[in-house]
Amino acid sequence: MAVSSPAAFAQSQSINGTIRGRVADPSGAAIAGASITVTNPSVGFTRTITTGSDGYYVLVNLPLGEYTVNITSDGFSPLTVSGVNLNAGTEAAIDGNLKIGSAATAVTVEASIASIDPTNLNVQRTLSSVEVENVPLTSRNPYNFIVFQPGVSGHPNPELGIPRTLNTNGLMDRINYQLDGMVNTEADRIGLRLFPIGNIFVKEVQTVSNSFAPEYGWTTGDVYNVISNSGTNQFHGKYEFVKRWVDATAYPLLQSKVTNPAKPNLILEDHAFNVGGPVIKDKLFFFGAYEQLKRGSPTPVTITAGNAAQLGLGASELVPGQGTLQGKFMDARVDYTITPKHSIFMRYNYFQNSFPANTQVGGINATSANADYKDRAHVFGIQLVSTLTNSLVNELRLSVPFRANVYTAGASAGTGPAIVITNIAAFGNTSSAGTQYTDKQPSGSENISYVRGRHTFKAGFVLAQIQNRQRSASFNRYTFATVQAYLNARNGTDPYGYANYASQTDASGVGYASLFYGGYAQDTWQLSPRLTMVYGLRYDRFGAPQANANAPYADSRKFNIPNTNFAPRLGFSYRASDTTVVKVSAGIFYQQTPTNLWFNALNLDGSNRVASFTYNGGTPGTPGRPAFPSIPSSIGSVATQNVTTINPNIKNEYTWNVNAQITQQVNSHISATIGYILSNGRNLPWRHNINVIPTGVTLADGRPTFSNTVSATTRYDARFNEVNRVESGANSSYNAMFTNLTMTPWRGMQFNASYTWSHVISDAPEVNTFEQNLGVSNTLNKKFDRGNASVNRPNAFNMSAVLEPKFDLSNPVGRLLANNNMLAILGNLSSGDQATLLASNTTFYGDTATSGVARPAFVGRNSLRSPSIYQVDARYTRTFPKIVDRFAPTFFLEANNITNTNNITGLAVTQAVNTTTGVGTGAVTTQRSSVLEQRIVQWGAAVRF
C-alpha cells in the first residue's frame, strides 16, 4: 500500500479532491472488481466504486476533508486506510496490496501525509487551515500568503491589496486570483485581485505556479485560489479581537525624527467571528462570518510652520493625514447534499471600505488637498456537482463578482481651485476627486470527468463577460513657483503670476464590455502502476470591446482579436519507488489580456474626451487667460494631445514552460523537493512613441534624439505630440532552481521552507500591470532595454512554521503549563529589488515619452539593486483550559519584522548627463522607499469552539 497527498491537479480540484490507486494481490497481479469505499464523516459523505480489470480505480470531485478508505475483495483481508487528507486541489494515491485472508484478518493502516504528490506535475503549495488561522498576519491580508510558495518572490502588502513586485515565472504580478475556483481577478490591469478577502472565512489557500494541467488558464504565472470555510456535522466557530500595541511598535521606517519626533498612534482594531454547523446532519450545512477592521497609518504633513503662516494655513490644515481604513467583510455559505449523487453549495460575500484621507495625504499636502476613497464589492457563487455514474462526474460553476470604487474630495476641501506651490504646499482643494472604477464579471464554467480504465478524461469550458466603467479625475488647479508668487496673486498684485493653470473634466467616463472564453480537453493516463502521463490542449480567446469607429487616430478605430491561442501541454510523473517521485512537464500558457489595453485606446484617442485645458501664467492681456482665483469654463488652450493606441496586428502574450522535479519522502511526515524551472515569455507587450521624427543627431551610445517642438517636420502626425503604441513581441527568459522542505503535522509541529535561485532578463519594461506601465528608452530599437527584468531576484527564501510541541508530563500542573503553547513564524528573505539609474535632465532627448525611463549613455536597464530584504514575523499563542464544553479561550501576541530591519524595496537613482553625448557627468542622487514596514506589534484574544 502506498499513499501520498496532496497534489494540485486541475481546476475542478480547486475545491474538491481525488483519490486514485491500484489494487493488487501479493504477487502484484491486478484484482478486478475490488470494492473501494471512501468515507468523510465530517460531512457524512460516502462513495463506493469497484476496480476495473486492470485493478485501477479513480474517485474524482470529492469534498475536502479527512477520509477513511476501505478496500475489500473476496478471498482477501479487508484493508482500511485512515487519515487520508484531501486539502485544496489534492490528489491522494492509495494503492492497496491485499493479503490473502478473510474479514477476521482485516488490516488497518494510517495514511502517510508527507506531500510527495505522485501524480501531480505542478510547482505548488497548499496552506492548510492550521497555517491560515495561526501564522502571524499583522496586515490581516491573506493575499500575502502568495509569497510563501516555491519559485515565487515578492513583498507582503501592509494593506488589503496585493503583494508587491511579485516574480511569477520571471514576469511581474501574473496572477489568476480565484475564490473557490471562481473568477476573482480584476480585469483592468495585470496582477490585481477583484474581491478583498477576510481572514475570518478563509479555510485554505492553494497556489500553483508551474506547469499546470490544460484546464488551468488565463495566466502565464500563478494561480492563487482561496478556499472558503464551510459547515460540518459539528458546530464550530470563533470570535477574535486584535489590537495594535503602539508602545511596542517601532518608529516608522524612513520617517524623519527631526521633523516628526513623536511616534504616531498606529491604529488597528479588528473584530471578527464565524460559526458553522449542520442544519440537517449529513445533508445541509451552513457557515457565516463577519469581520470589521479599522486601521490607520498617519502620514505627517511637511509644510513648514513659516510657510504655513505666510499661506494662512491654520493648525487643522497641518494635522497628519490619518488614512484610516474602515473595512467590513461578510461571508455566508450553504452546502446541500441534494441526493447521494448531487450536491450544491452557494456562497455570498460582501465587502465595503470607507477610507477618508486616502490620497494626496501628508508631505506637502494640507488636509484640504485630501481625497477620500470608498470601495464596495460583492460576489455570488454557486457550484453543482453531479455524479451521473460511477465513472462520469459533472461540475457546473456560476459566479457574479462586482466591485465599485470612487474618490471624492475630502471633508476639508474648499469650493475653489486646488493650489500647488511647487515642492512647498498643496491646499485649497484636491486634484484627485472624481476617479471611478467598476468591474462586473458574470462568469461560468462547465467541467465533465469520465473515468475509463487507466484514463481519466476531462473536458470543459469557461466563459466571462467583463463589464467595466472608468472615469478620470476632475479638477481645477493653479500651480505657483514660489510662495511670493501665490501671495501676489491672492492679494491682486499679480493675478497672472501663476506658473500653470490646469483644468480637467470627465463627466461620464468610459463604459465597455469584453468577452473572454476558453476550453480544454485532457487525459490523465496511468501508463503503469508507477508512470502517469497528463496531456491535453487548451484554447482561449480574449475578445475586445467595441472600438470607437470615429476615433481621431486610425489605429484606435478597430481592435484586433487574436484567434490562434492554442496551448498544448504534456507531463510525466514517475514513482521510482514508494518514496521517490520524478516529474517532468512542459506546455504553453496564455495571459489574460488586461482591459486597460483597450480602455487607454478608447480614452486617449486624441479627441480630448477628458476635457483638458491649460494656461501658462505671465503677463495679462492674452484672451481667455484666467485671473486667479477664477475658474473659467473650458476656455484654456487644449492640451496638445498624447495618444495611446494598439498595433493592429497585436498578439496575446504567452510563455512556454519546462519544469522538472524530484521529490523524496524522508518519512511519513517529511519530504523534500529539488526542481528546475524554465519559462520563456513571448509576445510580451511593450510600448513606444511612434510619432517622433529623428533629428539625425545621436548620443554617444547610438540613441537618436528628437525635437521638443510639435510641427510637421518633427512629428509624423502633427495633430499630436506623443503617439504611444502598444506592441507585442518583447521576450523574457527565466531560469530557476528551487528546493522545498515540508514537514506535515508531527508531534504538534508543521514546517515548510523553500529556496529559489533564479535569473530573469527581458526586452522591455512591463506594460499595463498594476505596478508598472512604462515605455522603452529608445523608441526605434527596444534592444537598448534588454537587461535584468524589474522582478529579477537571484536569491529568495521563504518559510512558514507552526510549532506546538506536545509534552507528556506526569505532573498535572507542569503538563498544563508546558502544553498548549504555539509559536508560528513567517520568514521572507531575498535579494533586493532591481533599480535603474535614470538621467535627471531628459529634455534634450526630445521624446517626452522617455522622460521616466531615459538612462545615461552606456547604462543598462535595472543595473542597480536595493539592499537585501530580511523580514521575519512571529506569533505566540497560548490556549487556556476550556471554559465549558468545547469553548477554548486563547491569547496571542504577534509582530512583523521582529528584528526591525530597515527593509528598502525601492531606489530612485538619478544622475545629470551631458546634453550632447548623454554620458553621465554629475553626482548620483539616491532616494529610498519601501512597501514594507518597521516592527509592528499586535495582541489579540479569541474564543474557539
Side-chain angles (χ1 to χ4, degrees):
M1 188 275 298
V3 180
S4 180
S5 169
F9 209 59
Q11 191 163 335
S12 70
Q13 302 296 84
S14 298
I15 54 176
N16 304 294
T18 293
I19 297 177
R20 68 167 62 235
R22 180 175 183 267
V23 180
D25 63 19
S27 69
I31 299 178
S35 177
I36 315 294
T37 300
V38 299
T39 305
N40 180 346
S42 67
V43 292
F45 179 87
T46 299
R47 186 181 294 177
T48 300
I49 196 172
T50 57
T51 58
S53 59
D54 52 8
Y56 289 99
Y57 73 92
V58 181
L59 295 108
V60 298
N61 283 346
L62 303 177
L64 303 182
E66 183 174 311
Y67 282 80
T68 297
V69 179
N70 292 290
I71 305 175
T72 61
S73 183
D74 292 341
F76 296 92
S77 298
L79 174 63
T80 298
V81 182
S82 62
V84 179
N85 283 288
L86 293 184
N87 298 116
T90 63
E91 179 159 328
I94 310 293
D95 290 343
N97 299 318
L98 302 186
K99 298 179 180 179
I100 296 175
S102 64
T105 58
V107 178
T108 300
V109 297
E110 183 177 352
S112 164
I113 56 177
S115 54
I116 68 166
D117 46 28
T119 56
N120 157 46
L121 302 175
N122 312 315
V123 177
Q124 66 96 40
R125 167 114 154 83
T126 298
L127 281 81
S128 68
S129 57
V130 172
E131 292 177 280
V132 170
E133 287 189 12
N134 294 292
V135 295
L137 201 65
T138 60
S139 64
R140 318 309 300 157
N141 180 5
Y143 285 111
N144 285 332
F145 292 141
I146 200 170
V147 301
F148 298 97
Q149 176 188 347
V152 173
S153 65
H155 306 307
N157 191 327
E159 297 182 346
L160 298 180
I162 61 167
R164 300 300 177 86
T165 56
L166 289 171
N167 182 340
T168 51
N169 289 332
L171 299 169
M172 178 181 282
D173 299 340
R174 274 22 177 222
I175 311 292
N176 181 352
Y177 290 101
Q178 298 180 356
L179 181 57
D180 289 327
M182 304 175 199
V183 171
N184 193 29
T185 304
E186 190 168 300
D188 58 327
R189 288 163 293 172
I190 291 173
L192 283 172
R193 55 98 182 111
L194 181 61
F195 185 83
I197 52 177
N199 204 47
I200 193 64
F201 61 80
V202 176
K203 180 179 182 179
E204 296 177 349
V205 172
Q206 176 198 14
T207 58
V208 184
S209 66
N210 194 300
S211 296
F212 23 87
E215 65 178 306
Y216 280 115
W218 296 11
T219 181
T220 55
D222 190 281
V223 176
Y224 180 91
N225 186 26
V226 173
I227 310 301
S228 65
N229 218 326
S230 57
T232 66
N233 275 325
Q234 186 177 45
F235 284 100
H236 60 90
K238 74 172 180 178
Y239 166 77
E240 183 176 79
F241 170 73
V242 183
K243 187 176 179 63
R244 189 156 288 177
W245 185 6
V246 178
D247 290 341
T249 295
Y251 192 85
L253 177 66
L254 299 179
Q255 183 171 307
S256 171
K257 291 185 179 180
V258 176
T259 56
N260 300 282
K263 184 169 63 175
N265 180 23
L266 303 180
I267 300 169
L268 183 135
E269 292 185 7
D270 188 23
H271 298 266
F273 71 88
N274 65 34
V275 62
V279 178
I280 303 174
K281 185 178 180 182
D282 294 342
K283 193 173 184 69
L284 181 61
F285 308 94
F286 78 95
F287 180 85
Y290 178 81
E291 183 172 359
Q292 181 168 312
L293 173 65
K294 181 179 180 181
R295 179 175 59 221
S297 300
T299 306
V301 175
T302 59
I303 301 172
T304 65
N307 286 330
Q310 280 189 288
L311 298 171
L313 302 178
S316 62
E317 287 273 48
L318 307 179
V319 174
Q322 193 62 51
T324 304
L325 178 153
Q326 301 175 63
K328 297 178 181 179
F329 304 87
M330 187 184 76
D331 171 72
R333 173 169 167 161
V334 174
D335 292 73
Y336 180 38
T337 302
I338 305 170
T339 70
K341 291 183 176 293
H342 303 279
S343 63
I344 190 172
F345 90 75
M346 293 179 287
R347 172 181 40 75
Y348 174 75
N349 299 88
Y350 177 75
F351 168 77
Q352 74 170 38
N353 174 18
S354 296
F355 201 144
N358 174 270
T359 303
Q360 280 193 245
V361 178
I364 69 168
N365 295 290
T367 57
S368 57
N370 296 170
D372 299 340
Y373 176 70
K374 290 187 177 181
D375 193 5
R376 301 290 185 274
H378 61 78
V379 56
F380 174 78
I382 183 171
Q383 175 187 264
L384 174 65
V385 176
S386 298
T387 305
L388 304 176
T389 69
N390 282 339
S391 59
L392 186 64
V393 179
N394 188 74
E395 179 186 21
L396 174 67
R397 288 186 189 148
L398 301 172
S399 176
V400 184
F402 173 81
R403 183 183 184 190
N405 54 61
V406 62
Y407 287 89
T408 58
S412 300
T415 58
I419 300 166
V420 176
I421 303 175
T422 306
N423 297 326
I424 293 176
F427 58 98
N429 211 326
T430 182
S431 301
S432 303
T435 302
Q436 182 180 7
Y437 176 79
T438 62
D439 191 340
K440 184 178 181 181
Q441 299 189 41
S443 63
S445 65
E446 165 70 15
N447 301 276
I448 189 162
S449 301
Y450 176 59
V451 179
R452 181 178 177 84
R454 302 186 183 192
H455 298 269
T456 302
F457 299 104
K458 191 162 191 181
F461 66 88
V462 60
L463 175 70
Q465 185 186 50
I466 302 170
Q467 304 167 19
N468 291 131
R469 176 166 290 278
Q470 298 191 54
R471 190 176 69 189
S472 304
S474 296
F475 60 86
N476 295 282
R477 181 179 63 223
Y478 281 93
T479 301
F480 295 87
T482 65
V483 172
Q484 190 59 52
Y486 164 71
L487 295 176
N488 292 341
R490 188 179 68 178
N491 62 30
T493 303
D494 184 7
Y496 302 95
Y498 49 85
N500 174 270
Y501 166 77
S503 172
Q504 178 173 294
T505 304
D506 187 355
S508 61
V510 174
Y512 56 101
S514 313
L515 185 65
F516 292 1
Y517 60 83
Y520 69 93
Q522 67 186 47
D523 177 26
T524 302
W525 183 4
Q526 194 81 45
L527 294 168
S528 73
R530 294 192 176 275
L531 181 62
T532 303
M533 180 173 70
V534 180
Y535 64 98
L537 180 69
R538 183 178 183 92
Y539 174 78
D540 290 302
R541 188 176 189 269
F542 307 116
Q546 184 67 42
N548 178 11
N550 299 315
Y553 198 79
D555 283 355
S556 295
R557 296 171 189 164
K558 184 179 180 181
F559 298 140
N560 179 51
I561 305 174
N563 293 306
T564 57
N565 298 345
F566 292 97
R569 300 175 192 174
L570 172 67
F572 296 89
S573 177
Y574 176 66
R575 275 195 282 178
S577 70
D578 288 343
T579 59
T580 305
V581 179
V582 180
K583 309 171 205 175
V584 178
S585 62
I588 292 176
F589 303 84
Y590 279 89
Q591 175 65 45
Q592 172 181 335
T593 303
T595 58
N596 259 20
L597 174 72
W598 302 306
F599 166 74
N600 289 334
L602 292 168
N603 190 47
L604 302 172
D605 62 2
S607 65
N608 196 32
R609 190 201 67 80
V610 179
S612 298
F613 301 91
T614 62
Y615 250 123
N616 293 324
T619 58
T622 301
R625 173 174 290 165
F628 178 83
S630 63
I631 300 177
S633 177
S634 303
I635 63 169
S637 304
V638 175
T640 303
Q641 295 295 293
N642 293 328
V643 172
T644 296
T645 190
I646 307 168
N647 189 310
N649 299 313
I650 197 165
K651 299 178 180 179
N652 285 134
E653 165 190 334
Y654 72 92
T655 60
W656 59 268
N657 298 349
V658 176
N659 161 25
Q661 305 176 62
I662 300 175
T663 300
Q664 176 66 48
Q665 180 179 322
V666 180
N667 57 37
S668 61
H669 293 271
I670 300 174
S671 66
T673 299
I674 184 170
Y676 168 73
I677 298 171
L678 169 65
S679 179
N680 285 329
R682 296 295 181 262
N683 286 336
L684 304 180
W686 60 286
R687 196 184 74 189
H688 67 137
N689 183 4
I690 63 171
N691 200 39
V692 285
I693 300 174
T695 63
V697 178
T698 60
L699 302 178
D701 59 358
R703 277 178 295 174
T705 60
F706 309 93
S707 172
N708 292 300
T709 62
V710 179
S711 69
T713 60
T714 64
R715 300 293 184 264
Y716 291 108
D717 188 335
R719 295 176 298 167
F720 312 111
N721 180 18
E722 301 173 14
V723 176
N724 293 301
R725 189 163 76 175
V726 178
E727 314 273 4
S728 55
N731 299 322
S732 70
S733 178
Y734 173 72
N735 287 270
M737 294 286 295
F738 71 92
T739 61
N740 190 73
L741 177 66
T742 299
M743 180 171 68
T744 49
W746 178 53
R747 296 183 179 178
M749 295 181 288
Q750 187 168 329
F751 179 83
N752 185 280
S754 176
Y755 168 73
T756 303
W757 174 90
S758 65
H759 183 230
V760 53
I761 58 176
S762 63
D763 287 354
E766 302 276 5
V767 175
N768 283 329
T769 74
F770 171 66
E771 299 182 80
Q772 193 173 100
N773 188 34
L774 300 174
V776 295
S777 61
N778 181 350
T779 190
L780 302 183
N781 187 353
K782 72 176 186 296
K783 291 183 178 180
F784 272 83
D785 280 307
R786 184 166 179 80
N788 293 321
S790 55
V791 292
N792 180 51
R793 297 186 187 91
N795 299 282
F797 172 83
N798 63 67
M799 63 157 288
S800 65
V802 179
L803 311 174
E804 189 178 13
K806 309 296 183 182
F807 300 95
D808 187 15
L809 303 179
S810 58
N811 185 294
V813 176
R815 185 168 61 250
L816 177 65
L817 295 176
N819 288 292
N820 301 313
N821 297 290
M822 177 186 292
L823 177 64
I825 302 172
L826 290 177
N828 183 19
L829 289 70
S830 70
S831 303
D833 289 8
Q834 297 281 182
T836 299
L837 175 62
L838 298 176
S840 59
N841 52 329
T842 60
T843 56
F844 68 94
Y845 287 110
D847 181 6
T848 53
T850 67
S851 60
V853 294
R855 306 184 302 274
F858 307 110
V859 173
R861 182 171 65 96
N862 291 323
S863 57
L864 306 177
R865 186 179 298 282
S866 64
S868 297
I869 301 298
Y870 300 95
Q871 177 91 11
V872 179
D873 307 340
R875 173 192 275 199
Y876 167 74
T877 303
R878 172 65 183 177
T879 302
F880 296 95
K882 295 178 181 178
I883 302 175
V884 291
D885 193 16
R886 295 185 296 117
F887 285 83
T890 63
F891 171 83
F892 60 86
L893 186 69
E894 67 179 3
N896 74 314
N897 193 7
I898 59 175
T899 60
N900 200 35
T901 303
N902 289 329
N903 286 315
I904 306 300
T905 61
L907 299 177
V909 189
T910 58
Q911 183 185 34
V913 301
N914 182 291
T915 56
T916 301
T917 65
V919 176
T921 59
V924 174
T925 302
T926 302
Q927 293 182 331
R928 303 178 301 162
S929 62
S930 182
V931 297
L932 299 175
E933 298 175 305
Q934 74 289 350
R935 183 180 62 244
I936 301 290
V937 182
Q938 296 170 181
W939 64 270
V943 177
R944 291 180 170 87
F945 65 90

